[in-house]
Amino acid sequence: MTPDSTMKVKAIDWQAGELFLLDQRLLPHQEVWVKCSRVDEVVAAIRDMLVRGAPAIGITAAYGVALAARQRYRENAEAWQADIEQDLHALQTSRPTAVNLSWALKQMRRQLVNIKPGVDPFPTLSAFAEAIHQADLEANLLMGKLGAEILASNQDHGREVMTHCNAGALATGGYGTALGVIRAAWERKVIDKVHVNETRPWLQGSRLTAWELEKEGIPSLLHVDSAAAHQLKNSPISWIIVGADRITAHGDVANKIGTYQLAVQALHHGAGLMVVAPTSTIDMELEYGEDIEIEQRSADEVLCAGGQRVGAEIEVTNPVFDITPADLVDYLVTEKGVIHRPDKEQLQKLMSRKSMH
């Protein structure tokens, strides 16, 4: 069984009680779908970055809970709710920075407690995971519209934009956050070109974002991360548009490493910084960016390329994310609305609203 092809780009598909994940480590050269029938397979997929992007991780984890419940119920119909705790812990700790993971698990836990002992939990939990998936797609479509409206009314420096990492359909339930805005802006003929940072060391920009943009026929230009300031200086770039893995109560943004330096460069060159993320990415329990745990990954990701070591014998730091202070963010776009210059007061008001979709 293969996932349906109604969308040009998708990374997650749920069919007949099985989870299919597009192995993003193999893109753009191979499009391989991996079937996950057990929770340990879902944990490994998240941990090993077969699936990545904060919203996509959360959706995948939700499906993982449904698979875990099915497995535990089959093993022991009376004790499955106790047994599933170790599966929830494994999912929770598979990757630490993206708050969407813990958000999705909290949503699924609320469903767990309402299921009566001896009742098969799988139909309820799988349906709720599907609802989380669909809600994310609808939120992306709305955020794309809201973000494109901002671009249409603020083009002080030109009709080109820059993005970092991959915040597209591959990183979400479909359409994308940052790339959702770019898709919508292209459809409205608001932008002419997208500048794509390669995004070392996993090259999500050159492998994934460039692949998505090519699939959509959106003109784009790839460059190394260290060329960003040069491009901002010499090209008519009005906006840097990025996603987020966690946003604090005061509006500080954790996103792929390199985002902070882009924010500083944007300020110097007069370009705006737009962060596009669903409210499930906002963590009102954390006050400031310094409170966010930053994931460190293997030194081999920096020292090696294509399976071959290229780096010298040297100590390596490999933070996956950095923190962009709220005062560098021009607009935060969510499915509940848009905030100009986000701060705690505005975020509290935003989180109390109902979704616009």
Side-chain angles (χ1 to χ4, degrees), residues 9 24 52-56 136 140 143-144 163-183 196-197 199 204-205 208-210 212-213 241-245 255-256 259 274-278:
V9 178
Q24 299 188 36
R52 30 71 46 206
D136 184 76
N140 290 344
M143 289 186 287
T163 192
H164 187 67
C165 194
N166 173 263
L170 293 172
T172 65
Y175 201 69
T177 54
L179 273 193
V181 169
I182 289 170
R183 279 186 169 92
V196 180
N197 277 4
T199 322
Q204 293 98 325
L208 307 180
T209 296
E212 285 201 43
L213 291 169
I241 309 174
V242 297
D245 286 81
N255 194 47
K256 182 58 57 184
T259 303
M274 180 186 295
V275 176
V276 190

Side-chain angles (χ1 to χ4, degrees), residues 153-169:
S153 59
N154 293 271
Q155 294 181 314
D156 294 338
H157 295 276
R159 291 169 51 88
E160 298 181 6
V161 299
M162 180 181 289
T163 192
H164 187 67
C165 194
N166 173 263

Side-chain angles (χ1 to χ4, degrees), residues 3-162:
D4 68 69
S5 57
T6 54
M7 294 177 59
K8 287 185 180 179
V9 178
K10 64 191 304 186
I12 305 168
D13 200 43
W14 179 256
Q15 288 191 32
E18 306 288 355
L19 177 63
F20 293 86
L21 299 173
L22 180 62
D23 191 341
Q24 299 188 36
R25 301 167 301 182
L26 304 179
L27 291 173
H29 306 298
Q30 299 180 63
E31 294 182 37
V32 176
W33 287 86
V34 176
K35 184 173 78 170
C36 297
S37 303
R38 297 171 55 90
V39 66
D40 57 325
E41 296 169 336
V42 176
V43 170
I46 296 172
R47 182 191 64 231
D48 300 337
M49 290 181 67
L50 185 151
V51 63
R52 30 71 46 206
I57 288 171
I59 294 164
T60 299
Y63 284 126
V65 174
L67 293 174
R70 180 175 66 186
Q71 182 180 329
R72 295 296 182 182
Y73 182 79
R74 287 173 177 174
E75 293 169 353
N76 189 333
E78 300 303 319
W80 70 268
Q81 285 176 305
D83 295 341
I84 201 175
E85 284 300 321
Q86 64 188 73
D87 301 321
L88 295 173
H89 176 74
L91 287 165
Q92 180 71 59
T93 56
S94 56
R95 291 199 70 187
T97 302
V99 72
N100 304 65
L101 174 59
S102 57
W103 175 87
L105 292 177
K106 286 178 183 176
Q107 301 299 309
M108 296 301 287
R109 274 188 180 278
R110 289 173 184 163
Q111 301 303 307
L112 281 170
V113 299
N114 294 323
I115 299 173
K116 295 179 180 179
V119 175
D120 184 356
F122 185 69
T124 296
L125 295 177
S126 60
F128 194 76
E130 288 184 272
I132 289 176
H133 192 169
Q134 181 61 29
D136 184 76
L137 173 57
E138 292 174 1
N140 290 344
L141 292 168
L142 178 56
M143 289 186 287
K145 176 178 178 291
L146 294 174
E149 289 172 354
I150 295 171
L151 297 190
S153 59
N154 293 271
Q155 294 181 314
D156 294 338
H157 295 276
R159 291 169 51 88
E160 298 181 6
V161 299
M162 180 181 289

